[in-house]
Amino acid sequence: MMNINIQNLVRENIKTMQPYSSARDEFKDFEQKMIYLDANENPNDNGINRYPDTQQKSVKKILSGIKKVATSQILLGNGSDEVLDLLFRAFCEPNKDNVITLPPTYGMYDVLANLNAVENKEILLNDDFEPNVSKILSEVNENTKIIFLCSPNNPTGNSFSDESIVTLLESFNGLVFLDEAYIDFSSRESWLSKMNDYPNLVISQTLSKAYGMAGIRLGILYASIEIIEVLNKIKPPYNVNILTQYKAIQNLENTKKINKQIIDIQLEKKFLFKCLLKLNFIVKVYPSEANFILIKVDNANKRYQQLLEKGIVIRNRTSQPLCDNCLRITIGTSEENLKLINTLKEL
């Protein structure tokens, strides 16, 4: 196991601050039914008149069982963007510290770096869409706090090699953030099983992709107890609303349905992949371990606009590094995918 002092990475003002505490955080294990006169709520029960559980204990308990991770190592947020923002706020000193991202990748890393006045050192993936590990480590300095990896990567769809990730974890004294938003579609195993071997490893997952709950905005962060404790100090007390918690519990308990949908999406991806290879204006179809396919076409702007005019919305990624004339296509239903293929054949 690596020896790393997480407290040395935390911003000085965060170390000394006291978190907001509600009265309901101050008592535990009372067996009798409580009368709540502490939070100035409307007392008339309608299912949503009370503030939600600040620690989302019921949701975490289910996730703990599914993912085999202790509840004390889970942080939930209003989408993955909130848990990402909390990392910047807790560990990156504005106008001093820096992070490293690996374009082409998820755009919110850069947005949040700018929002928090943190320098973002962008180091391009290589031509195989793999991290350039030696270049990354050469750019690290005493103010580098976080390296952001997305695997499977968005928009390229590939998973990074275990060797690259291990080297970064073992060579970097800051946090290595691994975005596993698409891990449920991958043939690779999640890094959750290795999390306790690397105290600087932070993993995010989401209910927005494989679990079909993008509309409830629930992001998940897994890390050491020490990192979770730091983030709990600064998170808003009621950041995950009661309706989101209810819906998450309801859907997470139906894993059979979720697993079937994942299999269906995988089958549709194989079908779409084969069909795309046959179209003459498509230069390349990239392998994908996510629920989307990246394709290189003759003219991305033209093909994107043509599909829009036919009522089909995809993502134009041609402006991204290494993605010249590339389009990203999310796997839809069988009907949607068939409509897409037939439309592409007519272009």
Side-chain angles (χ1 to χ4, degrees):
M1 181 181 290
M2 282 188 60
N3 183 21
I4 185 169
N5 190 334
I6 296 298
Q7 285 303 310
N8 288 342
L9 302 174
V10 180
R11 289 172 55 187
E12 289 300 322
N13 64 310
I14 303 298
K15 290 179 184 178
T16 57
M17 73 174 282
Q18 295 298 313
Y20 176 86
S21 177
S22 73
R24 289 168 215 180
D25 291 328
E26 296 166 3
F27 66 87
K28 296 177 181 177
D29 303 325
F30 281 76
E31 293 183 3
Q32 72 267 37
K33 182 176 175 62
M34 309 299 286
I35 296 175
Y36 294 118
L37 304 176
D38 60 303
N40 306 332
E41 300 150 320
N42 185 321
N44 298 287
D45 185 17
N46 62 6
I48 54 173
N49 60 304
R50 298 296 181 186
Y51 285 109
D53 174 10
T54 61
Q55 284 299 315
Q56 310 93 31
K57 291 184 286 291
S58 296
V59 182
K60 288 179 180 177
K61 183 177 179 181
I62 296 174
L63 283 171
S64 175
I66 294 172
K67 300 293 184 177
K68 311 304 180 191
V69 175
T71 57
S72 57
Q73 292 182 276
I74 304 173
L75 180 90
L76 300 182
N78 180 12
S80 297
D81 296 339
E82 183 183 46
V83 297
L84 277 165
D85 190 39
L86 289 172
L87 275 179
F88 277 98
R89 290 168 180 255
F91 293 98
C92 298
E93 192 68 47
N95 300 308
K96 176 185 175 183
D97 288 336
N98 66 75
V99 299
I100 291 175
T101 64
L102 313 179
T105 192
Y106 181 46
M108 280 302 294
Y109 307 146
D110 185 57
V111 170
L112 291 170
N114 283 307
L115 178 64
N116 288 283
V118 173
E119 179 189 2
N120 176 19
K121 294 185 175 184
E122 295 185 329
I123 300 173
L124 296 186
L125 297 175
N126 64 26
D127 291 339
D128 295 322
F129 297 142
E130 280 280 344
N132 187 336
V133 174
S134 59
K135 176 67 172 173
I136 293 167
L137 294 176
S138 72
E139 289 294 324
V140 168
N141 61 28
E142 67 275 10
N143 294 324
T144 305
K145 290 296 186 67
I146 311 173
I147 297 173
F148 287 92
L149 309 174
C150 185
S151 181
N153 188 43
N154 176 15
T156 59
N158 64 303
S159 295
F160 296 154
S161 71
D162 289 352
E163 182 183 9
S164 294
I165 297 173
V166 167
T167 301
L168 291 172
L169 283 166
E170 294 182 347
S171 305
F172 177 53
N173 288 323
L175 301 181
V176 175
F177 178 86
L178 183 57
D179 189 336
E180 289 190 338
Y182 302 96
I183 192 63
D184 298 286
F185 303 104
S186 175
S187 60
R188 304 282 188 91
E189 182 184 352
S190 167
W191 277 76
L192 287 176
S193 62
K194 305 179 186 74
M195 191 169 61
N196 291 330
D197 297 330
Y198 301 101
N200 58 335
L201 175 61
V202 179
I203 298 172
S204 77
Q205 294 184 359
T206 180
L207 299 187
S208 296
K209 312 299 182 186
Y211 287 84
M213 290 183 265
I216 70 171
R217 306 303 301 128
L218 186 63
I220 310 160
L221 184 142
Y222 301 96
S224 68
I225 294 173
E226 190 173 10
I227 291 173
I228 297 298
E229 286 176 347
V230 172
L231 298 175
N232 272 325
K233 287 178 69 172
I234 67 170
K235 84 168 186 66
Y238 305 112
N239 61 325
V240 179
N241 71 72
I242 200 166
L243 296 177
T244 288
Q245 294 187 45
Y246 283 161
K247 203 65 181 177
I249 291 167
Q250 179 185 358
N251 283 273
L252 285 169
E253 289 177 336
N254 193 353
T255 53
K256 185 178 292 186
K257 178 182 177 181
I258 293 166
N259 290 335
K260 182 183 183 306
Q261 290 182 349
I262 292 172
I263 292 170
D264 289 345
I265 290 170
Q266 297 280 33
L267 291 172
E268 284 297 317
K269 181 171 67 175
K270 289 181 181 178
F271 164 76
L272 199 58
F273 192 93
K274 290 178 181 177
C275 292
L276 292 169
L277 287 172
K278 298 176 183 178
L279 298 171
N280 58 15
F281 63 86
I282 295 180
V283 178
K284 184 171 184 177
V285 183
Y286 292 91
S288 172
E289 295 217 307
N291 67 331
F292 59 81
I293 296 174
L294 187 73
I295 62 172
K296 188 178 185 68
V297 298
D298 54 353
N299 187 323
N301 293 331
K302 174 184 175 182
R303 302 306 180 184
Y304 173 76
Q305 191 62 38
Q306 286 177 324
L307 286 174
L308 273 184
E309 291 168 0
K310 298 287 187 178
I312 298 176
V313 184
I314 59 173
R315 198 75 195 270
N316 189 351
R317 299 282 76 189
T318 191
S319 63
Q320 300 299 302
L322 308 179
C323 293
D324 185 44
N325 280 321
C326 284
L327 303 171
R328 192 192 70 195
I329 303 171
T330 303
I331 310 303
T333 63
S334 57
E335 294 81 10
E336 290 170 336
N337 296 331
L338 194 57
K339 170 71 172 176
L340 170 68
I341 291 299
N342 288 334
T343 301
L344 288 171
K345 288 178 179 178
E346 296 170 359
L347 298 184

